[in-house]
Amino acid sequence: AQTVTQSQPEMSVQEAETVTLSCTYDTSESNYYLFWYKQPPSRQMILVIRQEAYKQQNATENRFSVNFQKAAKSFSLKISDSQLGDTAMYFCAFMNPTQGGSEKLVFGKGTKLTVNP
Amino acid sequence: SAVISQKPSRDICQRGTSLTIQCQVDSQVTMMFWYRQQPGQSLTLIATANQGSEATYESGFVIDKFPISRPNLTFSTLTVSNMSPEDSSIYLCSVRSNPGAEQFFGPGTRLTVL
């Protein structure tokens, strides 16, 4: 079974600075997807960024980028120019698109990020 | 991205009663899922709601406790039956349009059982 590990329960960063959240996963599959979701206090789960395992290029979405190291099974999220609105729980998630399977998301335990003014 | 609504947004219920949560999507989607998020915890998949057939439940979750319906490609319900305080959680509906595509979440239903 796939597992996702987020080793940082809590992190903080000063506004405008850069922070990196760690995520590692365990799988024997070669084709899969990785995601970072953000959950602010409103509890709405928001998709931040998505990475296909077959793509070597790291995904980027504005201030958010990932460092995908497939051999190391590592998928970290970098937030540049941190803003107060980035304060939230961040969840790393894994999905294996097996044909006929449920394609369920497996989540890590989350990292609580606080951006300080 | 799909727009997903859930009703109710929150409820406080008595032990032993049941609550049905509705999930409505503004477009047809291939897959719908129900997740539970216990206080301070991550998300755990309860089941995949299958259109026109019985839901597929994850280990630890059973149909008698969490009956699910999905009558069409835009709507699903989750019932939490015979509730106990341990069922106090946020319940989230989630959808995916195509295999391997992004998965989006509804706003969640915060359930408190007294």
Side-chain angles (χ1 to χ4, degrees), chain A residues 6 33 35 37 39 41-47 49-50 52 61 89 91-92 94-98 101-110, chain B residues 4 8-10 31 33 35 37 40-45 48 56 58 90 92 94 96 98-110:
Chain A
Q6 294 179 248
Y33 297 84
F35 305 86
Y37 282 88
Q39 188 179 40
S42 67
R43 78 171 181 260
Q44 174 72 56
M45 289 287 286
I46 302 166
L47 178 64
I49 203 164
R50 171 177 179 260
E52 294 93 338
E61 288 288 344
M89 282 291 290
F91 293 99
C92 179
F94 171 99
M95 191 265 282
N96 173 25
T98 54
S102 69
E103 299 187 7
K104 66 180 182 181
L105 286 174
V106 177
F107 286 90
K109 292 185 180 297
Chain B
I4 307 165
S9 60
R10 60 176 62 223
M31 308 187 80
F33 307 89
Y35 286 82
Q37 187 177 25
Q41 302 296 314
S42 186
L43 282 74
T44 301
L45 180 65
T48 302
T56 304
E58 296 298 305
I90 297 171
L92 298 107
S94 180
R96 183 183 298 138
N98 296 299
E102 289 87 347
Q103 187 165 324
F104 299 101
F105 286 81
T109 296
R110 183 183 293 274

Side-chain angles (χ1 to χ4, degrees), chain B residues 4 7-8 18 36 54 59 65 67 77 79 92-93 97 104 113-114:
Chain B
I4 307 165
K7 290 181 182 179
S18 297
R36 182 176 73 182
E54 195 169 284
S59 175
K65 176 66 175 177
T77 67
T79 299
L92 298 107
C93 172
S97 297
F104 299 101
V113 184
L114 302 178

Side-chain angles (χ1 to χ4, degrees), chain B residues 57-95:
Chain B
Y57 289 84
E58 296 298 305
S59 175
F61 297 96
V62 296
I63 188 171
D64 290 347
K65 176 66 175 177
F66 297 101
I68 287 171
S69 78
R70 189 180 174 189
N72 56 51
L73 295 176
T74 63
F75 184 79
S76 178
T77 67
L78 167 74
T79 299
V80 186
S81 304
N82 188 25
M83 288 183 285
S84 66
E86 291 72 33
D87 295 320
S88 297
S89 294
I90 297 171
Y91 292 85
L92 298 107
C93 172
S94 180
V95 306

